[in-house]
Amino acid sequence: MNAPERIVVVGASLAGLRAAEALRDEGFTGELTLIGDEPYAPYDRPPLSKAVLSGWLPTDRTLLPRVRDISARWLLGSPATGLDLRERRVTQADGRQVGYDRLLIATGTRARPWPERQGGSLHGVHVLRTRDDADRLRTALAAGPGRVLVIGAGFTGGEVASVCRDLGLEVTVTQRSGAPLASALGGVVGGAAAHWYRDAGVDLRLHTTVHALEGDAHGRLRRAVLSDGTVVTTEVAVVAAGALANTEWLAGSGLAADARGVVCDEACRARTDDGTPVPDVFVAGDVARWPHPRYPGQLLRLDHWDNAVAQARTAAHNMLHEPGDHRGHQPLPAFWSNQFRVNLKCLGLPALADQVVVTQGSLDEQRFVAAYGRRGRLVAVVAVDCPRVLDGYAALIEAGAPFPPVLNATDGPDRLRPLDAAFPQPTAPAPAAAVTPGTPSVLPGQSVPCTPSIPSTLSVLSVPSVPSGHE
């Protein structure tokens, strides 16, 4: 493994920038190039669904702080469109070809769009992922629409609905399952979240999907037809139906990459379709899927801010060192959200759990800690409006402590009563002739993602994404 003279980072957002800084910190003095599809310098996404939508902060004030001068060549506004592993070359949309000795893939994810034939192209239909998305949605909210429809009650949907209520706007939220946040945190904690929505005056429609968005003769959104046959009059709809990995440019490259992300090993080395690690190509951030030693048999993809930073540093170190000196990427997953004046923090992976128990506080008081267990072991914990208690829980999760945990907390219940975690059952993909939200789609002008051959011993866990606030 020769020392690299040219390193290319494809993806000029949080993971890409922090990886570039780490490469310089690790002593890399060669040519460093960052390729980004957006024309902007790297910016912070958490404020988009909070301070920007509320009008407190313009998007041009969300730039990420630079911790050092990276002396890089920036190729922004022209996305990567192809990768040649043999020639070690990245092709951009403008025709430019960029050679490398080491490559980092940090292209992240995009918001899942609403199908065009169901009204996705109407004026007034929004997603929230980028600066431009936030600017357009902020303008629409500032115009004072009579009602905003939010499709999906995950983290992004909840944060958007919360801001809308703070702005005095009427909001309807549809959710396919029986509770907000159910896919991420299960039905027990999701049931508590439903109270936050309704206490804030949100019209929450559970077990409900949007059949179609309809517009007027000028192509402007006017109404939504729901699965229960009711009609919601609305001028603004926000689609918060998850994220798709930006991997179309890797089609035909030989890498194991599809709409779920790019498969890599614990050292962040990209894998080919047959599972072989590629020694000069690495992956970091929201686009990466890798095996975590604490969660065997899974490929994780974490759309979390902390993971993007940590994985970028791991990848940067390994790009400059021999395999014998590689570090494994195995942080404890962590994310947070603020919505309806409630602060929620999570450690571990609740989506793996089969049981949950309240260990401190109570659901009724909307201030509690819920611990999640899988097969008798603690795998995650969620703290609602009491974040300072999490350090002790982190040590228990990392140690694989028994579930339910015996804490003897002064604010805990007299007796721990584990409940079924009540995660929604996965649904079968819709047929190709009837694409629905939740089915991976391809945007106009993009190629169909390649389908990798994943070892049959691994199942794929794409942790419910938090695209705007916690990647």
Side-chain angles (χ1 to χ4, degrees), residues 292-303:
H292 195 298
R294 192 170 293 108
Y295 308 104
Q298 309 285 345
L299 287 176
L300 305 187
R301 182 170 73 80
L302 303 178
D303 289 15

Side-chain angles (χ1 to χ4, degrees), residues 237-254:
V238 183
V239 181
L244 299 173
N246 293 319
T247 57
E248 289 77 9
W249 67 285
L250 297 171
S253 68

